[in-house]
Amino acid sequence: MSSFTKMFSSSIGNKILVALTGLFLCSFLIIHVSGNLQLFYHDNGMAFNTYTVFMTTNPLIKTVSYILYVSILFHAFKGLHLAYKNKKARPVSYAVTNASANSHWTSRNMGVLGTILLVFIVVHMSDFWYEYKFGHLPFVKYEKNLTTGEITSSPFQGQISGKQEQYVVEAENKEVTIVKDLYAEVQEEFKNPLMVALYVIAMAAVSFHLFHGFKSGFQTLGLNHKKYNGIIRFLALYVFAIIIPVTFAAMPVYFFLK
Amino acid sequence: MSGNMNLTLKVWRQKNKDSKGLLETYNVKNISPDMSFLEMFDVLNEELITKGEEPIAFDHDCREGICGMCSMYINGRPHGPKRGVTTCQLHMRSFKDGDTIVVEPWRATAFPVIKDLSVDRSAFDRIIASGGFVSVNTGNARDANNIPIPKDDADTAFDAAACIGCGACVAACKNASAMLFVSAKVSQLALLPQGQPERYMRVQSMVGQMDEEGFGNCTNTGACEAECPKGISLSNIARMNRDYIAAGLGSE
Ligand code: SF4
Ligand code: FES
């Protein structure tokens, strides 16, 4: 066996892969949440819809997103596989345990939290990603008056050529943009209180999963140093356990109340 | 005597490796708060012997917190409710009159129960053995301070070397992972000049042996560090991971 194969098939090697994919997913969330802030613009979704076109057509981003899908699957299934092996490492369980005396509950429930997230990701991707790529989303037409800067939007019924998702024409002092209306889909989705509840619960799971996971990833990679542990803990709590999940959860709530 | 206690014990009894065990209830009376937890078991065993019953098998040796034998999982925690002590150093004053105390053996595939509370920890010995030799000059004893070692490194190595191989880390871990133990053994040599020649070989073989023994995979819960009677730090696990990564990337 080559030293790489040996390393990555060992317990530590497996954990390194889970840590690397996990931290990669963390970095993705920063991009995802920042981009989605455009949902809060009062522009009938123009910024969000054109951003979506960019994110789904730019070759670099497309490449990264395929790496992302593989990472999600790997992280989830490797995590579950390790959880299964860990169960086997203690076949007879204790009659009494007092685990809260020695560890934080998030750290002991990564498998459960992760499973909630996996279910959520499946629902989330089939509602938006699949719909966008393969479903029949309506198109919307934005018209920008180049002198006043005023933007109006209207549903677009006609056909646009080929598979093109964004279509810009300039005509008589007007800039016309025709795009798939994912924004409308978002609005529609979050009229359903069950969906809003699912998203809010999933974001709580994100919070708890990342509160432990972000720190844990660094420890697994051997990055444990007095000087930097403070900042890692700070980021885990404030950025990954609070700011990101709360901002995400605000989106369905916003559309529900809108 | 005043202050003495009556307690209910629920103790894991298991005939041998292959039989199924169960929790047996015993009442112990007039236990002095100054007794150690093991002495309380001695009292109970005396009684059992007098009654013609089989005494409870449990491991112990030094009874002063240095051998690591006294493995008891007490009320859901290895070595009982106090931090930084072994069962032999746990005193009955840590309990109250009328308490019910549940005592179980370490539970892990890699630590099969031999009898009652006594488990086979030879997996740890095999891990240490897999670490192999350290190349040091034989012959006359060297002069002290012949090899300069930075004070901080010597201290950190010493802290790692304080591990007594008790297995509480495995017992506490929800995954029955042995990472804290192995990392202590890896670190105590990795930090010192004498440990350098075989440093990367050693970490690979010890981790390999650890995996083979059937311990679980660490998820960084930190339960081991919290329950370790010798205060072995999680930073040892990070060091081991670093060395393991370096070994994997660097070796041929
Ligand atoms: S690391 Fe601590 S708990 Fe684990 S075997 Fe060593 S002394 Fe015991
Ligand atoms: S009997 Fe030696 S440490 Fe407890």
Side-chain angles (χ1 to χ4, degrees):
Chain A
M1 235 191 306
S2 85
S3 78
F4 273 127
T5 339
K6 206 165 126 197
M7 168 154 100
F8 288 119
S9 53
S10 72
S11 59
I12 297 184
N14 272 307
K15 285 155 41 53
I16 289 168
L17 294 174
V18 174
L20 288 174
T21 46
L23 290 174
F24 175 55
L25 298 183
C26 284
S27 69
F28 156 74
L29 284 187
I30 299 179
I31 311 285
H32 193 27
V33 79
S34 335
N36 281 20
L37 285 177
Q38 298 172 83
L39 284 170
F40 293 124
Y41 291 0
H42 291 282
D43 64 350
N44 284 322
M46 181 169 175
F48 180 74
N49 280 337
T50 46
Y51 162 79
T52 309
V53 173
F54 171 75
M55 292 305 273
T56 46
T57 49
N58 180 291
L60 180 68
I61 292 179
K62 268 168 91 172
T63 316
V64 177
S65 61
Y66 288 119
I67 302 175
L68 182 77
Y69 305 146
V70 174
S71 298
I72 294 175
L73 290 174
F74 182 89
H75 185 85
F77 289 104
K78 195 76 222 173
L80 288 173
H81 178 218
L82 290 177
Y84 166 76
K85 289 217 294 200
N86 291 344
K87 273 259 171 309
K88 288 217 311 206
R90 173 167 296 136
V92 182
S93 41
Y94 290 110
V96 176
T97 48
N98 183 4
S100 57
N102 55 37
S103 50
H104 198 272
W105 74 267
T106 53
S107 75
R108 298 192 306 271
N109 290 288
M110 294 299 276
V112 177
L113 293 167
T115 307
I116 297 176
L117 292 180
L118 185 60
V119 172
F120 165 74
I121 290 170
V122 170
V123 174
H124 180 59
M125 298 265 298
S126 58
D127 282 358
F128 294 119
W129 177 83
Y130 183 84
E131 277 302 314
Y132 192 80
K133 292 252 168 177
F134 308 105
H136 299 282
L137 288 187
F139 282 83
V140 55
K141 180 161 96 180
Y142 298 104
E143 286 177 58
K144 183 174 179 186
N145 184 323
L146 290 178
T147 27
T148 61
E150 195 193 337
I151 302 170
T152 53
S153 71
S154 54
F156 178 76
Q157 309 294 3
Q159 285 284 318
I160 64 167
S161 59
K163 286 203 73 176
Q164 201 152 7
E165 267 137 23
Q166 180 178 20
Y167 193 67
V168 187
V169 271
E170 270 183 72
E172 323 132 21
N173 211 21
K174 264 198 295 187
E175 189 185 72
V176 183
T177 309
I178 302 165
V179 279
K180 270 195 186 173
D181 200 357
L182 188 64
Y183 184 82
E185 178 76 8
V186 173
Q187 267 179 318
E188 197 51 41
E189 175 101 349
F190 296 134
K191 277 186 191 143
N192 180 349
L194 284 178
M195 273 299 156
V196 177
L198 173 74
Y199 273 68
V200 171
I201 291 169
M203 288 312 111
V206 164
S207 165
F208 296 131
H209 195 78
L210 297 194
F211 175 64
H212 177 69
F214 186 72
K215 294 179 286 188
S216 179
F218 285 93
Q219 165 78 0
T220 295
L221 296 175
L223 304 171
N224 173 327
H225 191 290
K226 279 208 279 289
K227 230 156 67 185
Y228 307 108
N229 288 349
I231 177 83
I232 293 174
R233 251 179 262 135
F234 178 88
L235 291 175
L237 176 61
Y238 290 101
V239 176
F240 290 99
I242 298 178
I243 298 178
I244 291 183
V246 168
T247 314
F248 271 130
M251 294 165 189
V253 173
Y254 166 80
F255 282 103
F256 185 66
L257 299 177
K258 204 174 141 181
Chain B
M1 227 208 295
S2 73
N4 283 7
M5 316 177 254
N6 297 333
L7 302 161
T8 308
L9 296 180
K10 293 193 172 173
V11 183
W12 186 260
R13 303 299 311 257
Q14 182 172 338
K15 263 209 175 59
N16 55 46
K17 192 167 154 282
D18 306 307
S19 59
K20 259 187 87 149
L22 78 168
L23 285 173
E24 231 21 291
T25 307
Y26 301 95
N27 293 308
V28 285
K29 296 203 171 63
N30 210 20
I31 295 296
S32 151
D34 299 330
M35 275 183 191
S36 79
F37 202 81
L38 296 187
E39 283 166 334
M40 187 260 301
F41 262 76
D42 294 338
V43 170
L44 171 60
N45 271 346
E46 294 278 353
E47 259 175 49
L48 292 177
I49 293 168
T50 323
K51 280 197 271 180
E53 286 175 31
E54 181 79 12
I56 300 162
F58 65 92
D59 279 324
H60 62 108
D61 186 19
C62 70
R63 297 211 175 191
E64 56 180 15
I66 54 172
C67 76
M69 285 305 283
C70 49
S71 49
M72 287 189 189
Y73 197 82
I74 303 163
N75 281 347
R77 295 177 67 185
H79 299 304
K82 290 272 143 79
R83 288 214 164 184
V85 292
T86 51
T87 304
C88 58
Q89 298 286 290
L90 175 69
H91 288 84
M92 295 315 294
R93 55 177 172 269
S94 305
F95 298 91
K96 289 192 313 291
D97 187 33
D99 274 0
T100 298
I101 309 173
V102 181
V103 188
E104 298 174 77
W106 286 178
R107 295 196 190 279
T109 306
F111 288 165
V113 172
I114 301 169
K115 187 177 181 183
D116 300 339
L117 300 174
S118 175
V119 299
D120 178 0
R121 271 169 296 188
S122 55
F124 271 11
D125 301 337
R126 288 188 291 275
I127 292 172
I128 293 184
S130 74
F133 59 93
V134 173
S135 25
V136 287
N137 289 333
T138 51
N140 286 345
R142 290 179 157 231
D143 288 343
N145 297 331
N146 211 358
I147 306 172
I149 303 173
K151 171 85 170 105
D152 281 348
D153 291 354
D155 287 352
T156 317
F158 189 82
D159 289 346
C163 164
I164 54 176
C166 64
C169 43
V170 176
C173 176
K174 82 182 230 310
N175 312 312
S177 161
M179 290 283 276
L180 194 66
F181 165 79
V182 181
S183 72
K185 299 302 171 197
V186 162
S187 289
Q188 69 185 25
L189 293 170
L191 283 157
L192 298 177
Q194 294 91 333
Q196 297 314 305
E198 295 82 21
R199 178 172 181 177
Y200 295 103
M201 224 168 76
R202 187 185 309 116
V203 69
Q204 286 184 315
S205 0
M206 289 179 85
V207 169
Q209 187 65 34
M210 169 183 86
D211 288 352
E212 222 161 275
E213 297 290 349
F215 291 105
N217 302 273
C218 171
T219 54
N220 302 320
T221 67
C224 52
E225 181 187 59
E227 298 292 9
C228 172
K230 298 297 150 184
I232 302 296
S233 150
L234 286 182
S235 60
N236 289 302
I237 296 184
R239 180 179 299 102
M240 172 166 76
N241 292 349
R242 276 201 301 276
D243 278 14
Y244 190 78
I245 295 170
L249 297 180
S251 68
E252 316 218 317

